[in-house]
Amino acid sequence: MDKEIIHQFIVNALIEDVGDGDHTSLSTIEAGTQGKAKLLVKDTGILAGVELAREIFREVDPNLRLNVFLNDGAEVKPKDIAFEVEGDARSILKAERLVLNCMQRMSGIATNTNHIVRLLQGTNTKVLDTRKTTPGLRYLEKWAVRIGGGVNHRFGLYDMILIKDNHVDYSGGIRQAIENANKYLTDTGKKLAIEIEVRNLEELEQVLQTGNVNRILIDNFNFDDLRQAVNMIQGRYITEASGGITIDNIRDYADCGVDYISVGALTHSVKSLDLSLKAVKA
C-alpha cells in the first residue's frame, strides 16, 4: 500500500463528502457520544478494502478503534461481520459512506477477478487488468485486482511503452514504431518494457523480424490464429491476448497457450458487493 497515494485519496474524498461538516450528525448526536458499528456482509464474494477502511477511520479520527475479523482476500457470505469499529459516534458516521463506497467497489472487483482466476486454474495463463478504470480510483481498483488474485498491467502511460494500433498507424508502421520507441529509450535513458499490439499474423511476422520488444499483445484473434501466433513466437516474447474475451470463452483463450489475458471488464463492468455499516446497540 502506497501510504502517500492513499492519504491524498482519503483527504480529497472527505473534502468532497463532508464539506464544512456532517450537519446531520452534528445536529442530532450529542458531542462525545460513544458508539460501535459492525461491517456487515450481505453478499457472497471476496472481501477487499479492509486495510483501506483502517486508513480512512484513522484519517477521520485517530482515536477510533478497529477490531478486524476478516481480512482482505477472505471469502465472505451474507451475515459475516468483517470488522467492528468503536469510538466517537460522529466520527464513525463521517467515515461510513467513504468506507462503504470503497469497500463495496473493491470487493466487487476482487470477486470478479477471483472468479476468472478460478476459471484459469490448470493453465499457465494469468489475468491482467487494464487502464479502463474509474478516474481517481485507479490505485484502489488495481489493488482490488491483486486481492482477487489477478495481476496488474501497467499502471499508467508512464511505466511501460505499449504500442497500440493507433501508434503504429501514426508512426508509419510496425518496424518504424518499434525503432522509434527504442531510440526514445536510448535518448532519454529510461528503462521501460516495450509491448506491441498486433492485429493479424502479418503484423506479428513484422514484429518477429524486427525484434527489440519485450511483450506482444495479440488483439482480436480467433482461436486458430491465436494458437498459430503462439507457435510462431515460440516463447521468445511474453504473450498477451485481448479483445472479444468473455467469461464464457476465457478458458478457451487460455488453452491457446498465451501467458496473459487482459480483461478490461475486471474494473469497468463490476457489480459492487453488498455491504453495510450497522450501529451496534449497547
Side-chain angles (χ1 to χ4, degrees):
M1 177 171 55
D2 189 316
K3 291 285 187 100
E4 184 175 345
I5 291 176
I6 292 301
H7 171 72
Q8 194 58 56
F9 165 76
I10 295 171
V11 168
N12 291 338
L14 288 172
I15 289 171
E16 175 185 66
D17 195 37
V18 179
D20 69 346
D22 173 9
H23 298 302
T24 307
S25 295
L26 291 170
S27 66
T28 61
I29 301 172
E30 187 176 346
T33 298
Q34 298 296 293
K36 180 189 290 187
K38 61 184 178 183
L39 194 290
L40 180 65
V41 179
K42 302 166 71 176
D43 216 340
T44 300
I46 302 297
L47 189 67
V50 175
E51 287 305 307
L52 175 61
R54 188 190 300 277
E55 296 301 315
I56 293 171
F57 285 124
R58 181 180 292 129
E59 184 70 33
V60 168
D61 183 347
N63 293 317
L64 290 176
R65 301 175 297 281
L66 197 64
N67 188 12
V68 174
F69 306 122
L70 295 168
N71 292 307
D72 287 332
E75 295 185 19
V76 293
K77 61 186 184 305
K79 298 184 179 180
D80 282 346
I81 298 173
F83 58 73
E84 289 182 342
V85 58
E86 189 171 3
D88 186 272
R90 290 178 173 179
S91 295
I92 293 172
L93 293 177
K94 183 186 293 186
E96 175 187 10
R97 181 45 53 194
L98 179 56
V99 167
L100 286 174
N101 285 349
C102 293
M103 287 194 66
Q104 288 181 141
R105 180 154 185 81
M106 288 181 70
S107 296
I109 291 170
T111 299
N112 193 30
T113 302
N114 188 256
H115 178 58
I116 292 176
V117 168
R118 290 172 186 264
L119 290 175
L120 297 181
Q121 284 180 346
T123 74
N124 293 319
T125 305
K126 295 180 172 61
V127 64
L128 288 172
D129 56 23
T130 69
R131 286 171 50 240
K132 296 176 182 178
T133 55
T134 309
L137 296 182
R138 181 172 296 176
Y139 186 88
L140 306 188
E141 292 178 349
K142 283 181 170 282
W143 186 3
V145 167
R146 296 196 305 273
I147 291 171
V151 178
N152 292 153
H153 204 311
R154 58 176 179 164
F155 205 87
L157 294 172
Y158 56 86
D159 58 349
M160 175 187 277
I161 290 178
L162 175 46
I163 306 170
K164 302 197 77 176
D165 52 357
N166 285 336
H167 302 99
V168 168
D169 292 341
Y170 283 140
S171 61
I174 292 280
R175 179 178 294 276
Q176 192 63 50
I178 294 173
E179 290 177 351
N180 288 349
N182 279 278
K183 183 177 185 303
Y184 174 82
L185 293 181
T186 299
D187 292 345
T188 61
K190 292 185 178 296
K191 299 185 183 301
L192 299 173
I194 297 177
E195 179 172 10
I196 186 161
E197 176 185 279
V198 295
R199 293 167 283 192
N200 49 57
L201 293 171
E202 290 74 21
E203 287 191 345
L204 174 59
E205 184 60 43
Q206 293 176 51
V207 171
L208 296 177
Q209 291 175 2
T210 305
N212 290 318
V213 299
N214 304 100
R215 181 182 295 191
I216 300 175
L217 172 58
I218 307 165
D219 189 51
N220 281 304
F221 276 45
N222 61 44
F223 297 135
D224 289 339
D225 286 348
L226 182 58
R227 280 189 287 269
Q228 185 176 344
V230 171
N231 289 334
M232 290 170 63
I233 294 168
Q234 295 182 329
R236 287 174 286 174
Y237 303 100
I238 298 169
T239 55
E240 175 187 339
S242 70
I245 300 172
T246 67
I247 292 291
D248 294 329
N249 63 23
I250 193 167
R251 177 66 187 229
D252 295 324
Y253 275 94
D255 287 338
C256 292
V258 291
D259 298 306
Y260 294 101
I261 295 175
S262 52
V263 180
L266 290 184
T267 52
H268 74 59
S269 299
V270 173
K271 176 183 178 293
S272 293
L273 211 68
D274 195 1
L275 309 170
S276 63
L277 193 68
K278 293 295 185 182
V280 177
K281 295 181 180 180

